[in-house]
């Protein structure tokens, strides 16, 4: 039988044989270094991990020795212990505690192969254990008689081992091991302190793994505990999503993205997890200490465990809860408790009574409202079978509410169908039962043919479907849809209109998912045409002058823009085409409105392009668009987000979708304005009464859907799309 250490020199073999070791396996090696599993015959055959280096290079030897010294000073249950260091003229070996398991990289890859993920509460528990280990290395390591702060600097999935007691490592991960990990039986270990350093030292050159490097490391600044936290929370993101951070980008793009922008997590995560990841992985994290992070993570973990317990024991809980509710109702207690503590009105009143709510308080109220509203408006009716035809049992897709509060349903060929199916996927983390419904509601949409109309249904449904399941059928369909969209562009001879902004959303997603640069090039090409034809130097966008005063009637060259009146102007009747040439340009701009959901989509796409390319031209466009909005309102006027001031005058409902999309934009672009708008959103007057089973006050102006001026109709005609975006803030 060949010695598994055959690639190493006789020097390495001699040292190990001299010290009475039997080499069993090598699970990582290159021609000069590696890690072997060995049996220590001196100590009753105890297994040990043997890390070795064969080199006479002074720098390599110094680094290897320093790693061994640092590890020998660390004593923590989640970091392998160092037993001894052996040295010769051209070889170094240190003996360490044997860990029987697989790297987190191997586990994530294996789960991806099964279209599975670590349960949220298990992933969070692993990160909490590693946070505690890092808190120790950052504060309590005794080195040469004094306390030192050791920064790992290279935290990534391949440097984290999960071990299950009694389970031996095999050539490939089997289902038994994965099931035990999913059940929470894995113990995490942080390994490979090869480039670790003491806090306050500077990184010489870009050492580490590109996708996980912090901005401090890239810039060569002094390292502290925040670098390890940044890297660990990128690992946390990968554990929850299965997606490697910054995947699909070139080295240059990754570096530019890290230097210019904070990390933005996908919306597939639960909001608390997404917020924690983005906060910890920010270039200017507002976390003041690791204790603060641990407290937030432990709170999240408690909530996740409760949610997992409820999901697992749903039938028993429902039975017990039903009995309790009967008693409470009999005593008249439950309705009072619900009204005074749990209702939307109670949540909003609590915020209203707080003269200066903090951002976490505002967001906590928002999450409570979102979940309560979603459960009442969508979850409960779905589970109770209300979204099925009573006779045929065919699937029904909710679109919007009638004045009497009853649902208006659409078929799978509608945009509303895609929105609803996508929302089910997005909420399936919090409500696991929804996943099977999401798949069922998506199947008819997947079979629909692209016909150039209502094509957004594919984007809304299939992107979250693929992100949740990783089924290639969804990705294949989206790729086909994008090809047909591109063909439509060519047919219009490059004339880019508002509807195409939503196509860019798919192109950019495919670029980030597949890494194919053609999708980014397409978006940049067509966005250049859109901005040239539509965005004036002062920030006015002709193509978006559509909410109240005008509807678009096609786009031509910049000197020949025209629109259709939807309200009378002077002697012009409703429906007549006008050109700004019949009035002064400033008057035309003043009489039209651009502040709609489409304006928000334009801002989002420009921000996406800036973050992906670093091209300042996109940020310049954002600034002039934002300035135009700010110029339209004086400081003492009510901030209506991006909704036209003509709404009140003409009784057209406020654009709820524009309102919530403005929150999405500012959450990424300007935290101060995000807080301001969030506070205004949570004013009770901006929400519908909970008893009317809605989420947002106001409606969405979409396509041919008009609203009468009846108050009840306006209150109830909130579309499912506005609710979906609301749930994503």
């Amino acid at each position: 039988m060949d010695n598994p250490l055959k690639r190493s020199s006789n020097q390495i073999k001699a040292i190990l044989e001299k010290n009475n070791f039997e080499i069993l396996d090598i699970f990582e090696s290159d021609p000069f270094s590696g890690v072997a599993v060995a049996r220590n015959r001196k100590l009753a055959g105890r297994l040990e991990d043997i890390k070795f280096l064969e080199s006479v290079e002074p720098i390599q030897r110094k680094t290897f020795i320093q790693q061994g010294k640092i590890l020998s000073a660390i004593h923590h249950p989640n970091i392998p212990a160092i037993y001894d260091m052996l040295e010769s003229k051209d070889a170094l070996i240190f003996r360490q505690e044997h860990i029987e398991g697989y790297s987190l990289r191997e586990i994530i890859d294996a789960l991806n192969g099964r279209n599975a993920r670590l349960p949220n509460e298990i992933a969070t528990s692993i990160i909490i254990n590693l946070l505690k280990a890092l808190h120790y290395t950052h504060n309590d390591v005794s080195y040469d008689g004094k306390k030192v702060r050791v920064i790992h600097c290279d935290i990534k999935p391949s440097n984290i081992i999960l071990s299950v007691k009694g389970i031996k490592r095999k050539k490939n991960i089997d289902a038994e091991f994965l099931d035990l990990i999913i059940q929470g039986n894995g113990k995490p270990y942080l390994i490979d302190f090869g480039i670790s350093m003491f806090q306050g030292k500077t990184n010489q050159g870009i050492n580490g793994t590109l996708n996980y490097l912090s901005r401090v490391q890239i810039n060569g600044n002094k390292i502290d505990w925040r670098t390890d936290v940044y890297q660990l929370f990128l690992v946390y993101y990968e554990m929850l999503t299965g997606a490697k951070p910054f995947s699909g980008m070139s080295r240059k793009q990754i570096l530019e993205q890290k230097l210019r922008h904070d990390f933005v997590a996908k919306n597939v995560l639960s909001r608390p997890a997404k917020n924690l990841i983005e906060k910890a992985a920010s270039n200017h994290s507002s976390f003041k200490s690791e204790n603060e992070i641990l407290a937030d993570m432990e709170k999240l973990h408690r909530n996740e465990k409760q949610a997992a317990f409820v999901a697992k024991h749903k039938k028993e809980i429902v039975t017990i809860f039903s009995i309790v509710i009967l008693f409470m109702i009999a005593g008249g207690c439950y309705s009072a408790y619900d009204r005074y503590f749990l209702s939307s009105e109670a949540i909003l009143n609590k915020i209203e009574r707080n003269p200066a709510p903090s951002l976490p308080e505002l967001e906590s109220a928002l999450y409570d409202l979102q979940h309560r509203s979603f459960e009442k408006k969508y979850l409960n009716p779905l589970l109770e079978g209300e979204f099925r035809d009573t006779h045929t049992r065919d699937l029904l897709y909710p679109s919007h509410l009638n004045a009497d509060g009853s649902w208006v349903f659409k078929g799978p060929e509608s945009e509303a169908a895609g929105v609803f199916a996508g929302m089910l996927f997005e909420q399936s983390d919090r409500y696991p039962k929804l996943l099977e419904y999401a798949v069922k509601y998506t199947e008819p949409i997947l079979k629909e043919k692209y016909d150039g109309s209502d094509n957004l249904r594919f984007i809304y449904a299939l992107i979250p479907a693929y992100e949740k399941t990783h089924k290639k059928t969804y990705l294949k369909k989206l790729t086909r849809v994008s090809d047909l969209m591109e063909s439509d562009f060519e047919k219009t001879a490059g004339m880019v209109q508002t509807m195409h902004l939503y196509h860019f959303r798919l192109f950019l997603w495919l670029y980030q998912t597949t890494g194919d640069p053609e999708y980014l090039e397409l978006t940049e090409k067509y966005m250049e045409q859109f901005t040239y034809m539509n965005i004036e130097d002062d920030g006015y966008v002709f193509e978006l002058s559509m909410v109240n005063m005008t509807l678009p009637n096609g786009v031509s060259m910049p000197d020949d823009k025209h629109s259709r009146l939807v309200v009378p102007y002077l002697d012009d009747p409703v429906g007549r085409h006008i050109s700004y040439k019949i009035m002064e340009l400033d008057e035309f701009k003043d009489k039209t409105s651009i502040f709609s959901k489409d304006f928000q989509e334009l801002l989002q796409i420009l921000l996406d392009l800036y973050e992906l390319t670093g091209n300042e031209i996109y940020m310049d466009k954002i600034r002039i668009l934002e300035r135009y909005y700010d110029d339209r309102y004086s400081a003492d006027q009510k901030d209506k987000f991006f909704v036209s001031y003509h709404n009140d005058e003409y009784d057209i409902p406020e654009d709820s979708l524009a309102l919530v999309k403005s929150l999405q934009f500012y959450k990424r672009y300007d935290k101060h304005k995000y807080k301001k708008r969030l506070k205004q959103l949570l004013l009770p007057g901006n929400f519908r009464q909970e008893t009317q089973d809605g989420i947002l006050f106001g409606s969405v102006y979409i396509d041919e859907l008009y609203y009468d001026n009846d108050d009840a109709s306006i209150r109830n005609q909130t579309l499912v799309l506005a609710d979906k975006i609301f749930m994503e803030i």
Side-chain angles (χ1 to χ4, degrees):
M1 179 178 176
D2 291 338
N3 189 325
L5 207 56
K6 62 184 178 182
R7 289 199 296 165
S8 298
S9 70
N10 292 329
Q11 183 73 13
I12 297 289
K13 296 176 185 177
I15 294 174
L16 293 172
E17 290 172 359
K18 180 180 178 181
N19 287 273
N20 209 8
F21 282 98
E22 176 190 357
I23 305 301
L24 301 178
D25 195 8
I26 294 177
F27 53 87
E28 179 186 343
S29 71
D30 59 41
F32 305 102
S33 64
V35 180
V37 180
R39 190 186 308 281
N40 189 333
R41 295 194 185 97
K42 289 183 181 178
L43 299 176
R46 180 180 73 180
L47 296 182
E48 297 182 13
D49 288 342
I50 306 295
K51 189 161 186 176
F52 58 87
L53 172 72
E54 180 187 9
S55 176
V56 294
E57 292 292 330
I59 294 178
Q60 286 186 323
R61 290 176 66 88
K62 180 181 178 181
T63 300
F64 193 83
I65 291 172
Q66 178 179 333
Q67 179 188 2
K69 286 183 176 180
I70 290 174
L71 279 172
S72 68
I74 293 175
H75 305 285
H76 191 276
N78 296 103
I79 300 174
I82 289 290
Y83 300 136
D84 192 13
M85 180 177 291
L86 308 173
E87 185 175 359
S88 70
K89 181 179 178 181
D90 57 1
L92 292 168
I93 291 173
F94 58 79
R95 301 163 43 214
Q96 64 183 39
E97 177 186 0
H98 173 61
I99 305 301
E100 192 77 58
Y102 299 87
S103 74
L104 188 56
R105 163 58 53 226
E106 294 172 297
I107 292 167
I108 291 173
D109 290 345
L111 287 171
N112 281 341
R114 297 172 63 177
N115 292 322
R117 297 283 175 271
L118 284 170
N120 291 356
E121 72 277 11
I122 303 304
T124 304
S125 175
I126 291 168
I127 295 298
I128 287 173
N129 279 294
L130 294 172
L131 270 173
K132 291 178 179 178
L134 288 171
H135 185 269
Y136 162 79
T137 67
H138 296 161
N139 295 278
D140 297 318
V141 176
S142 295
Y143 187 87
D144 285 342
K146 60 182 180 181
K147 291 282 187 180
V148 294
R149 301 177 187 273
V150 178
I151 313 301
H152 187 286
C153 297
D154 194 22
I155 297 172
K156 56 186 177 181
S158 57
N159 282 341
I160 296 168
I161 302 294
L162 292 186
S163 177
V164 176
K165 188 175 181 180
I167 301 297
K168 297 291 186 182
R169 179 183 170 89
K170 301 175 183 176
K171 184 175 182 180
N172 296 308
I173 301 180
D174 57 19
E176 179 191 9
F177 183 87
L178 284 181
D179 289 341
L180 289 169
I181 293 294
I182 289 172
Q183 293 164 19
N185 294 302
K187 180 179 179 179
Y189 290 88
L190 183 61
I191 65 169
D192 198 349
F193 282 69
I195 62 170
S196 62
M197 60 181 67
F198 298 128
Q199 180 165 304
K201 298 293 184 181
T202 56
N203 208 39
Q204 302 300 319
I206 301 180
N207 295 322
T209 305
L210 179 61
N211 290 64
Y212 304 91
L213 285 177
S214 69
R215 184 165 74 165
V216 173
Q217 290 175 290
I218 295 169
N219 285 332
N221 296 332
K222 292 183 178 180
I223 300 292
D224 64 16
W225 59 273
R226 285 169 292 193
T227 282
D228 281 352
V229 167
Y230 173 90
Q231 294 180 341
L232 183 63
F233 274 79
L234 291 187
V235 172
Y236 183 37
Y237 168 80
E238 189 169 354
M239 293 168 72
L240 294 176
T241 65
K244 193 173 185 179
F246 307 102
S247 61
M249 295 186 185
S250 67
R251 177 182 176 83
K252 180 181 178 182
Q253 289 172 331
I254 292 175
L255 291 173
E256 288 180 351
Q257 180 76 4
K258 286 174 175 283
L259 290 172
R260 291 175 178 269
H261 309 290
D262 290 338
F263 179 72
V264 177
K266 292 183 178 180
N267 285 328
V268 297
L269 301 175
S270 69
R271 282 179 187 78
K274 175 178 168 66
N275 289 343
L276 276 171
I277 290 170
E278 290 181 349
K279 190 174 178 181
S282 166
N283 288 325
H284 304 284
S285 176
S286 57
F287 281 121
K288 299 297 187 293
S289 69
E290 290 168 280
N291 286 330
E292 182 184 352
I293 303 173
L294 270 170
D296 284 354
M297 287 293 286
E298 286 171 343
K299 179 181 178 181
L300 172 64
H301 190 225
R302 287 193 297 272
N303 293 337
E304 289 174 339
K305 286 197 296 183
Q306 289 172 2
F309 179 83
V310 169
K312 185 177 181 180
H313 302 282
K314 183 178 178 180
K315 290 184 179 179
E316 298 94 321
I317 290 173
V318 168
T319 302
I320 295 171
F321 187 72
S322 299
I323 295 171
V324 172
I325 291 301
L326 286 173
F327 279 102
M328 292 181 72
I329 291 175
C333 298
Y334 178 72
S335 61
Y337 180 76
D338 181 81
R339 182 168 63 256
Y340 290 110
F341 297 100
L342 300 180
S343 69
S344 297
E345 186 177 359
I347 296 167
L348 294 169
N349 287 339
K350 183 179 179 181
I351 288 295
E352 190 178 39
R353 290 193 298 268
N354 187 344
S358 66
L359 183 57
E361 287 173 328
L362 289 169
E363 290 185 325
S364 177
L366 175 69
Y367 302 149
D368 289 342
L369 287 166
Q370 287 171 326
H371 297 142
R372 183 170 179 84
S373 300
F374 178 78
E375 288 161 6
K376 290 187 68 175
K377 192 171 180 182
Y378 295 101
L379 180 65
N380 295 337
L382 177 69
L383 298 180
E384 291 166 9
E386 294 181 24
F387 292 164
R388 282 183 178 271
D389 187 283
T390 53
H391 300 294
T392 66
R393 305 306 296 162
D394 290 341
L395 302 178
L396 300 175
Y397 298 86
S399 171
H400 60 282
L401 297 170
N402 280 320
D404 62 2
S406 62
W407 276 109
V408 174
F409 294 106
K410 299 283 187 178
E413 74 285 351
S414 68
E415 178 181 303
V419 172
F420 181 63
M423 185 161 62
L424 297 183
F425 275 113
E426 290 165 358
Q427 296 304 314
S428 63
D429 275 346
R430 183 174 180 87
Y431 309 101
K433 180 69 174 175
L434 286 184
L435 188 58
E436 62 180 89
Y437 286 95
V439 172
K440 289 179 181 177
Y441 272 86
T442 303
E443 286 174 358
I445 300 171
L446 188 63
K447 296 174 183 177
E448 285 286 317
K449 292 183 179 180
Y450 176 92
D451 57 7
S453 64
D454 280 328
N455 48 64
L456 290 180
R457 66 189 184 275
F458 300 113
I459 298 174
Y460 286 131
L462 302 186
I463 287 179
Y466 178 74
E467 289 177 339
K468 285 295 181 185
T469 67
H470 289 271
K471 291 184 178 179
K472 293 183 179 179
T473 51
Y474 298 134
L475 181 60
K476 184 178 179 180
K477 181 75 170 186
L478 285 166
T479 304
R480 176 61 178 157
V481 167
S482 74
D483 292 340
L484 294 169
M485 285 179 173
E486 182 186 353
S487 177
D488 283 350
F489 276 126
E490 297 302 324
K491 291 176 184 177
T492 59
M495 185 174 69
V496 185
Q497 295 181 294
T498 299
M499 61 176 289
H500 298 133
L501 294 174
Y502 298 91
H503 297 182
F504 298 162
R505 175 72 54 209
L506 176 58
F507 291 160
L508 291 179
W509 181 84
L510 284 169
Y511 166 66
Q512 293 174 296
T513 302
T514 67
D516 187 342
E518 181 181 354
Y519 294 115
L520 180 60
E521 292 167 5
L522 276 173
T523 308
E524 291 202 274
K525 170 187 172 182
Y526 292 123
M527 180 56 85
E528 181 181 6
Q529 295 175 17
F530 181 87
T531 55
Y532 169 72
M533 296 174 64
N534 284 290
I535 301 180
E536 300 294 299
D537 291 340
D538 63 355
Y540 183 80
V541 188
F542 275 91
E543 172 65 9
L544 302 185
S545 59
M546 58 174 283
V547 176
N548 302 307
M549 186 67 176
T550 61
L551 287 172
N553 189 52
V555 177
S556 52
M557 295 305 292
D559 61 347
D560 189 28
K561 295 186 172 68
H562 53 280
S563 299
R564 180 193 298 271
L565 285 171
V566 295
V567 295
Y569 174 72
L570 300 178
D571 295 327
D572 292 313
V574 173
R576 175 174 172 179
H577 289 83
I578 63 168
S579 168
Y580 72 78
K581 292 178 180 179
I582 72 171
M583 62 180 81
E584 293 295 326
L585 180 58
D586 289 343
E587 183 185 9
F588 181 85
K589 291 181 179 180
D590 188 58
K591 294 296 181 183
T592 59
S593 172
I594 66 169
F595 304 122
S596 67
K597 65 184 180 68
D598 301 318
F599 183 66
Q600 278 301 313
E601 188 68 18
L602 173 60
L603 286 171
Q604 296 277 11
I605 295 296
L606 288 170
L607 188 56
D608 286 340
L609 286 169
Y610 174 70
E611 291 179 348
L612 288 171
T613 67
N615 190 335
E616 285 291 338
I617 192 172
Y618 300 120
M619 186 54 66
D620 291 341
K621 297 296 182 185
I622 290 173
R623 293 189 185 106
I624 66 166
L625 291 169
E626 189 188 23
R627 262 199 313 274
Y628 181 78
Y629 167 71
D630 290 338
D631 290 345
R632 294 285 289 244
Y633 299 98
S634 61
D636 61 342
Q637 285 180 304
K638 179 184 177 183
D639 183 346
K640 292 191 176 180
F641 306 88
F642 289 109
V643 184
S644 167
Y645 61 79
H646 288 294
N647 277 337
D648 293 338
E649 183 177 353
Y650 297 115
D651 293 322
I652 294 178
E654 290 189 351
D655 189 340
S656 299
L657 184 52
L659 185 150
V660 294
K661 289 185 76 169
S662 74
L663 279 165
Q664 283 192 322
F665 171 73
Y666 275 113
K667 189 170 186 179
R668 296 167 59 194
Y669 179 71
D670 187 324
K671 293 289 186 183
H672 174 73
K673 289 186 178 180
Y674 164 62
K675 180 180 178 181
K676 175 185 174 184
R677 283 159 169 75
L678 181 56
K679 182 178 179 181
Q680 186 167 356
L681 172 69
L682 294 181
L683 292 176
N686 287 341
F687 271 80
R688 294 173 41 196
Q689 291 296 314
E690 179 190 23
T691 54
Q692 293 169 317
D693 279 335
I695 291 183
L696 290 177
F697 176 81
S699 307
V700 184
Y701 188 89
I702 293 183
D703 298 332
E704 76 286 350
L705 186 61
Y706 259 89
Y707 305 94
D708 59 42
N709 294 330
D710 178 71
D711 287 342
S713 178
I714 291 174
R715 281 197 301 270
N716 284 294
Q717 284 182 321
T718 302
L719 297 187
V720 64
L721 179 60
D723 295 341
K724 175 183 181 294
I725 301 298
F726 173 69
M727 295 295 294
E728 293 174 352
I729 302 173

